[in-house]
Amino acid sequence: MYFQMYATYTAQFEECVKTLAYWCRKEERFQQLVREFEATPECRHLAISHYMLEPVQRIPRYKMLLEDYLKRLPDDAEDRRDSEKALKVISEAATHANQRMKELEAFQKLMAVQERLTESVDLVVPGRMLLKEGMLNKCSRRGLDRRIFFLFNDCLMQCSVVAGSFKLKHKQALMGMRVDIPTVTDIPNAFSIISTQQKSFMVSASSSEERDEWFQVLSAAIKEQSRKLHSLKRQSSQILDTVEEVGAQAPVWLPDSSATMCMECGRQFTALRRRHHCRGCGRILCGDCSRNKAFLKFMKREDRVCDLCYFKLKGLWPLHVMEKKGDPRDAAAQKAQGVRDIKAHTEGAQKIGYLYCRKGGKGGWVSTMAAAQGLGFVFLQGT
């Protein structure tokens, strides 16, 4: 029973620390009360988070105590067998605890960076880890700008250092990124960060060793992120293949913890970009990829479905679905919008996907669902 409670505590520890930090930032009076309590003799001038961490560290200490006890215990001792059983149980719990400790250390690193940011940026998202940080010179039109770079397993962030705090300059996803060492350049120890979706730029390190280290870690992170996305797409495709008739029966929902990014567009889930389950196939998607509603037989009413299930339920399947691509001239245009309904004039369409357009060559670029019909495109409007 104790270990069940312990597992629950360790699993919720990260969320508890985040909640405490959130209310300390939001409510000045609450923060003052916390600081006053931490300053009392009973608290020994230690942070509350220190005491919250104690139960997580307790199990590994129990394991060390039992191992030391068994070393000194005779083989024919009466409680030898029970002690070995206890060590086995505690070892299993300690293995879980060690994994949680590693996750907590990664979480604390994220929190340390976030607390020094001058902007309101939510760095703490499920599955995100800080891989590397360091000072590099970013090449710009004005010359070299000294920046601190933070490499996470899903994005790269660059900041300027102002009075000990970090001012966010740019944050971009690793997806669609690659690194290259230019053969001809006047800048020593330089390497290029090239992105097909956002900014491309050149940076220089203080030495060739530091440049090579950044190059290797960044290349490995990009490769791993690409592997995860391909694996997610494969899993998503397998789920869709198992659904014989969309809406005929309730699908098996994947657990929230099984996906850290949308299974359709691949964007990372955050506190603002939340998970949604498609009621047709059970996949986990972002809000933009599951805006539509359609009638489902097993529910006997309309409910949220993904774009693919929507097309199937509306009789527009099979159609080849093109990838959602952002306009390179407008980074803000990358956020794809869902389709709520399809006009009747889409008969004979062979392909459906997202294109960016603007009326009369004026105004901003807007993500619009389009169908290839004959030699041209038909733009589909929601109602």
Side-chain angles (χ1 to χ4, degrees):
M1 181 64 183
Y2 170 78
F3 292 117
Q4 292 177 356
M5 294 171 59
Y6 174 81
T8 302
Y9 183 87
T10 55
Q12 296 178 352
F13 174 81
E14 182 178 326
E15 188 63 32
C16 290
V17 174
K18 283 174 60 179
T19 303
L20 177 65
Y22 170 79
W23 285 107
C24 281
R25 290 194 306 269
K26 187 172 183 179
E27 296 292 340
E28 186 176 345
R29 177 57 181 159
F30 180 74
Q31 183 184 40
Q32 183 181 350
L33 290 172
V34 170
R35 297 294 176 259
E36 290 175 359
F37 176 73
E38 292 175 344
T40 60
E42 293 81 5
C43 204
R44 292 185 294 176
H45 303 283
L46 295 173
I48 291 178
S49 57
H50 171 82
Y51 292 102
M52 293 171 67
L53 186 61
E54 282 290 321
V56 181
Q57 298 173 330
R58 192 170 295 153
I59 293 296
R61 292 172 182 170
Y62 287 162
K63 180 174 180 287
M64 293 173 62
L65 178 64
L66 278 171
E67 287 175 340
D68 191 52
Y69 175 69
L70 282 169
K71 286 179 183 178
R72 291 165 171 74
L73 192 67
D75 292 340
D76 58 350
E78 186 176 340
D79 60 341
R80 177 85 190 184
R81 186 175 179 182
D82 289 338
S83 298
E84 290 175 345
K85 286 182 179 179
L87 178 60
K88 183 179 179 181
V89 173
I90 211 76
S91 295
E92 292 175 354
T95 300
H96 173 72
N98 289 334
Q99 180 61 33
R100 287 296 300 162
M101 286 296 294
K102 291 179 181 178
E103 294 174 359
L104 290 173
E105 288 175 5
F107 167 73
Q108 289 170 349
K109 289 180 180 179
L110 288 177
M111 287 296 295
V113 176
Q114 181 164 299
E115 288 172 358
R116 294 179 65 183
L117 282 170
T118 56
E119 291 82 7
S120 179
V121 181
D122 191 6
L123 289 181
V124 183
V125 298
R128 177 172 288 169
M129 294 179 64
L130 178 61
L131 303 179
K132 186 174 177 59
E133 64 177 277
M135 300 297 296
L136 294 170
N137 295 314
K138 179 181 178 293
C139 305
S140 65
R141 290 177 296 178
R142 297 184 300 272
L144 297 178
D145 297 327
R146 193 71 171 162
R147 300 275 174 83
I148 183 167
F149 282 76
F150 298 95
L151 173 61
F152 304 98
N153 57 340
D154 64 329
C155 65
L156 179 68
M157 183 174 74
Q158 55 174 297
C159 305
S160 60
V161 182
V162 181
S165 298
F166 302 139
K167 181 176 177 59
L168 179 64
K169 290 296 183 180
H170 192 62
K171 183 165 77 77
Q172 62 190 89
L174 297 185
M175 191 55 57
M177 185 187 293
R178 65 182 176 88
V179 287
D180 182 40
I181 297 179
T183 54
V184 180
T185 179
D186 295 334
I187 303 172
N189 308 315
F191 64 95
S192 301
I193 298 175
I194 303 166
S195 175
T196 58
Q197 299 178 359
Q198 300 181 47
K199 278 188 174 182
S200 296
F201 52 91
M202 184 182 293
V203 293
S204 68
S206 58
S207 65
S208 59
E209 291 78 11
E210 185 183 24
R211 177 200 61 192
D212 294 342
E213 185 179 351
W214 269 102
F215 183 87
Q216 292 172 6
V217 175
L218 191 51
S219 297
I222 293 170
K223 184 177 180 181
E224 177 63 17
Q225 184 71 359
S226 179
R227 184 196 65 79
K228 284 183 179 179
L229 183 60
H230 291 154
S231 176
L232 191 70
K233 291 287 187 181
R234 185 167 58 250
Q235 182 185 10
S236 177
S237 177
Q238 290 172 352
I239 293 172
L240 291 172
D241 290 342
T242 60
V243 179
E244 295 181 1
E245 183 183 353
V246 176
Q249 59 186 15
V252 177
W253 281 21
L254 293 175
D256 286 354
S257 58
S258 65
T260 59
M261 58 181 72
C262 174
M263 300 184 78
E264 181 61 32
C265 67
R267 289 187 295 173
Q268 199 83 13
F269 291 121
T270 65
L272 298 178
R273 186 180 297 119
R274 301 179 62 187
R275 294 171 173 82
H276 299 277
H277 280 85
C278 172
R279 272 60 171 180
C281 61
R283 295 187 302 159
I284 303 175
L285 309 127
C286 66
D288 288 334
C289 293
S290 57
R291 287 181 178 273
N292 306 304
K293 285 188 175 182
F295 183 82
L296 300 167
K297 290 181 182 178
F298 75 93
M299 298 184 74
K300 297 181 180 179
R301 60 180 174 85
E302 287 191 349
D303 210 331
R304 178 189 292 268
V305 292
C306 66
D307 291 347
L308 296 182
C309 289
Y310 179 81
F311 295 146
K312 289 182 178 181
L313 290 166
K314 291 294 183 178
L316 298 171
W317 194 263
L319 292 169
H320 176 70
V321 180
M322 302 189 304
E323 293 183 357
K324 302 172 186 176
K325 296 183 179 180
D327 181 65
R329 292 165 289 184
D330 186 2
Q334 291 180 6
K335 188 174 182 181
Q337 301 297 320
V339 178
R340 295 205 176 272
D341 201 0
I342 305 292
K343 294 292 186 182
H345 63 249
T346 59
E347 294 181 4
Q350 296 179 346
K351 295 184 179 180
I352 283 185
Y354 290 88
L355 291 177
Y356 284 89
C357 65
R358 55 180 178 177
K359 294 182 179 180
K362 298 180 180 179
W365 290 83
V366 180
S367 174
T368 308
M369 183 64 77
Q373 190 175 39
L375 298 177
F377 286 101
V378 175
F379 292 97
L380 312 179
Q381 301 175 348
T383 58

